[in-house]
Amino acid sequence: MPSLSTLEQTLTTAAAHRLARYPPLTRQTLSTALQEQNLRWQAAPQTLANLDRLAEASTVAIVTGQQAGLLGGPALTIWKILTAIKLAQNLAQRGQSSVPVFWMASEDHDFDEVEQTTILAPDGTLQTLTCRPSFVGHPAVGEVELDASIEQMLNTLASALPTTEFTSGIFEDLRASYLPGRKWCDAFAHWLHRLFAPFGLIIVDPRDERLRTITQPVFEAIIQRTPDITNRLVQQAQAYQAQGKSPQVSVIPSSTTLFLDIDGNRTPLVLDGYRFRPKSNVETSYTKEDLLRILRAEPLRLTPSALLRPVIQDTLFPTVVQVVGPAEMAYLSQSEIIYEAVGIQSPIRWPRASVTLVEQRHAKVFAKLGLTPDAAALGKPELLRRAALQSNDAQIIEYVNEVKVSFGAQLDRLKQLLHEADPSLAEALDRGREKIFHQLNGLEQRFFASYAQRDAARTRQIERAITALTPHGQPQERVLNILSFLVKYGPSLLTHSYTKIDFQTTDHQWILLEPGRA
């Protein structure tokens, strides 16, 4: 991974190249639509200032995006946005006007992936909250309208989070953002603008007919060239497989990069010869001409797949960098086929920051064990073993290990002798050895369970630390909502994190939170 200074030098050249090919009319149409959208979401003055910059012919965009998860979704969304903000700021400091942009995945229809969010309750346990408004079929997420269920969910959230000096302000913002009758993605955008008010983040909802007029030529090209593009994507996937790699996005000869809204259901289209068929209804089909008529009459009915989406994004914006996660980095290499097919230069890809927030009390748990917070990945049994080694029971554990080593050495010697006399007896010894060590390991585990009961306070501390840092055994950023920490450390948490994160590394980072310091 290059340093930021090296990237900035590359970006200066990339920006000049991108600006030279970015149509003024596209910028004008884009700026008008974004002004209206972000004003509707009550953007802060810093965002409005960046929108004015974006309207200028010399400004480029640093773009990232994510699904519109409930209440902002998992914390990785936060780290993506902060990475884009940092790159835009660094580029601006070098004299290249640039703005951070967040692309809401409002056209996605996988509502199951956005309807839940997980927080840390005051007792250290995980609580998953769900909001599923009433709707029919599989509409785009951006078409879903909030109902009374959002108020019920917010009430549940209020009782699940600790009461602090920041609670009332946070919930005032949440309730002002998530209103019954408001569209799901509009609520999401309101909330993001409140979180990132000091940073000037620009948010875009692609479900806008003004924006579709910009990208219509790309959709037309995709419709016309789908058989060729699909063939090239299949060949690319076969090349990956020949190298022992699996494509991030599965592609087969009938795949397309288009979805069509049919009676309110976002439906993937598949190829059948030179016709397009809805995957859910093989009796219906469309010619290229049919899809072109739909595109011109009802442009928002056609939406891009994951592979086409970045191409649409970079048609809209003067993008020089796209901030992505690991999975996106993998599938964007597949999208290069589409960039080439429609004649668009793909931007530089930069990995988002990967972060775990560590509260001081949890850091102390690991420090007492002589470990750092990343040791949470060792798991509860190993951490309890290490804790027991620091207790009065250490002698028992050490002796059990001595028995294993000694017994193992004696069994190895016996096996050698038996093998010389009768190999079948050596094989029988191996089976007996497995049973013996199974019993010894079971005894050791029962001892650790006994220790956990006898030192319940320390066991709870370890359990809470593991849950906070690796919830459900996964990275914190993929599970926990930032609200778990915002309510304790206040709105300045994002500014604190921004100053602490090293945006030049792909290494996972552990950011210590100190009471009163965030």
Side-chain angles (χ1 to χ4, degrees):
M1 179 176 178
S3 66
L4 276 180
S5 59
T6 301
L7 173 68
E8 289 155 10
Q9 294 171 8
T10 304
L11 286 183
T12 302
T13 302
H17 182 273
R18 184 70 180 104
L19 290 173
R21 291 159 178 77
Y22 189 67
L25 184 58
T26 294
R27 188 183 294 274
Q28 181 181 341
T29 304
L30 174 69
S31 296
T32 300
L34 291 180
Q35 284 277 355
E36 186 279 325
Q37 287 186 0
N38 285 268
L39 282 171
R40 189 174 79 243
W41 300 322
Q42 299 179 337
Q46 294 90 330
T47 293
L48 301 183
N50 271 345
L51 284 166
D52 289 339
R53 291 188 187 93
L54 184 59
E56 298 171 358
S58 59
T59 300
V60 295
I62 311 295
V63 182
T64 192
Q66 190 65 30
Q67 293 170 304
L70 178 62
L71 307 182
L76 64 85
T77 300
I78 303 298
W79 312 137
K80 267 188 170 182
I81 293 172
L82 288 182
T83 304
I85 289 167
K86 180 65 173 180
L87 293 179
Q89 181 187 72
N90 281 24
L91 199 54
Q93 289 172 349
R94 291 182 64 90
Q96 173 57 62
S97 179
S98 58
V99 295
V101 175
F102 182 84
W103 178 284
M104 284 195 299
S106 60
E107 295 172 319
D108 284 3
H109 63 285
D110 296 321
F111 197 80
D112 290 349
E113 296 181 6
V114 301
E115 67 178 1
Q116 294 185 333
T117 197
T118 301
I119 59 164
L120 270 176
D123 63 358
T125 61
L126 299 173
Q127 183 163 345
T128 297
L129 304 168
T130 302
C131 178
R132 191 175 184 87
S134 178
F135 60 85
V136 178
H138 297 88
V141 170
E143 291 296 327
V144 174
E145 187 173 290
L146 295 171
D147 57 21
S149 63
I150 190 65
E151 294 180 320
Q152 298 167 6
M153 189 280 301
L154 288 173
N155 290 337
T156 302
L157 176 67
S159 62
L161 287 173
T163 300
T164 70
E165 60 185 296
F166 306 112
T167 302
S168 61
I170 288 171
F171 273 88
E172 182 179 336
D173 285 345
L174 281 171
R175 294 186 188 280
S177 300
Y178 285 87
L179 293 171
R182 181 171 282 171
K183 292 293 180 66
W184 183 275
C185 287
D186 286 336
F188 178 86
H190 272 84
W191 175 234
L192 282 194
H193 270 314
R194 289 171 185 266
L195 284 178
F196 290 96
F199 296 99
L201 179 68
I202 295 172
I203 302 174
V204 58
D205 182 349
R207 294 177 314 105
D208 188 306
E209 289 194 6
R210 292 166 296 185
L211 301 183
R212 191 52 54 84
T213 62
I214 299 172
T215 59
Q216 182 169 319
V218 174
F219 276 97
E220 290 177 351
I222 294 298
I223 292 169
Q224 295 283 8
R225 300 189 59 188
T226 284
D228 174 60
I229 291 172
T230 295
N231 183 53
R232 293 174 64 186
L233 286 170
V234 168
Q235 290 176 355
Q236 180 194 57
Q238 291 170 343
Y240 283 167
Q241 291 164 350
Q243 299 169 16
K245 303 175 184 178
S246 295
Q248 185 71 23
V249 177
S250 176
V251 181
I252 58 176
S254 62
S255 297
T256 80
T257 59
L258 295 170
F259 283 76
L260 178 65
D261 184 289
I262 302 175
D263 298 327
N265 293 288
R266 185 171 182 257
T267 306
L269 294 176
V270 297
L271 266 182
D272 184 359
Y274 285 90
R275 299 181 73 87
F276 297 81
R277 294 188 184 277
K279 192 173 183 179
S280 59
N281 183 1
V282 296
E283 296 180 0
T284 303
S285 69
Y286 303 88
T287 64
K288 293 178 183 179
E289 291 70 25
D290 292 333
L291 291 185
L292 290 171
R293 280 193 291 272
I294 291 172
L295 178 66
R296 291 158 188 163
E298 303 174 272
L300 296 183
R301 284 186 62 193
L302 277 163
T303 52
S305 71
L307 292 180
L308 177 57
R309 191 269 311 154
V311 179
I312 299 300
Q313 168 189 291
D314 298 328
T315 302
L316 278 175
F317 286 92
T319 313
V320 291
V321 178
Q322 184 179 2
V323 175
V324 298
E328 291 168 293
M329 191 72 82
Y331 77 67
L332 283 171
S333 65
Q334 295 177 258
S335 294
E336 288 297 327
I337 294 290
I338 308 173
Y339 278 99
E340 294 172 7
V342 297
I344 296 175
Q345 177 67 44
S346 61
I348 295 167
R349 275 74 187 244
W350 190 263
R352 67 165 173 83
S354 181
V355 177
T356 294
L357 298 178
V358 184
E359 295 187 73
Q360 195 173 56
R361 58 184 176 141
H362 296 142
K364 287 180 178 178
V365 170
F366 292 99
K368 288 179 181 178
L369 294 171
L371 301 169
T372 52
D374 58 344
L378 295 174
K380 179 180 172 181
E382 174 60 19
L383 293 176
L384 284 178
R385 187 188 74 81
R386 297 194 182 208
L389 281 170
Q390 294 179 342
S391 71
N392 294 331
D393 297 325
Q395 186 177 3
I396 297 174
I397 300 169
E398 291 171 356
Y399 193 71
V400 169
N401 287 331
E402 288 178 14
V403 168
K404 287 182 179 181
V405 171
S406 175
F407 203 49
Q410 293 181 50
L411 287 174
D412 287 342
R413 175 58 179 156
L414 178 57
K415 180 180 178 180
Q416 181 181 358
L417 295 172
L418 288 174
H419 187 75
E420 294 171 357
D422 185 345
S424 64
L425 293 177
E427 294 175 3
L429 179 64
D430 281 337
R431 292 191 293 273
R433 179 193 187 113
E434 290 178 4
K435 294 178 180 179
I436 292 168
F437 277 90
H438 177 76
Q439 292 297 325
L440 281 172
N441 290 332
L443 177 64
E444 187 177 43
Q445 292 305 314
R446 288 195 295 274
F447 170 78
F448 289 142
S450 171
Y451 166 78
Q453 291 178 345
R454 286 180 282 114
D455 196 346
R458 194 171 193 189
T459 299
R460 281 196 300 273
Q461 290 174 352
I462 290 173
E463 289 173 341
R464 288 188 176 192
I466 293 172
T467 300
L469 302 185
T470 55
H472 299 315
Q474 299 183 54
Q476 181 194 86
E477 63 187 5
R478 292 191 170 278
V479 177
L480 287 186
N481 191 296
I482 199 70
L483 281 165
S484 300
F485 304 99
L486 272 178
V487 76
K488 298 177 183 178
Y489 299 94
S492 62
L493 171 66
L494 296 190
T495 304
H496 172 79
S497 300
Y498 184 68
T499 60
K500 293 293 184 181
I501 294 172
D502 180 359
F503 293 96
Q504 300 192 66
T505 180
T506 56
D507 294 341
H508 189 78
Q509 300 176 64
W510 305 76
I511 305 298
L512 181 64
L513 301 177
E514 300 178 20
R517 295 285 298 278

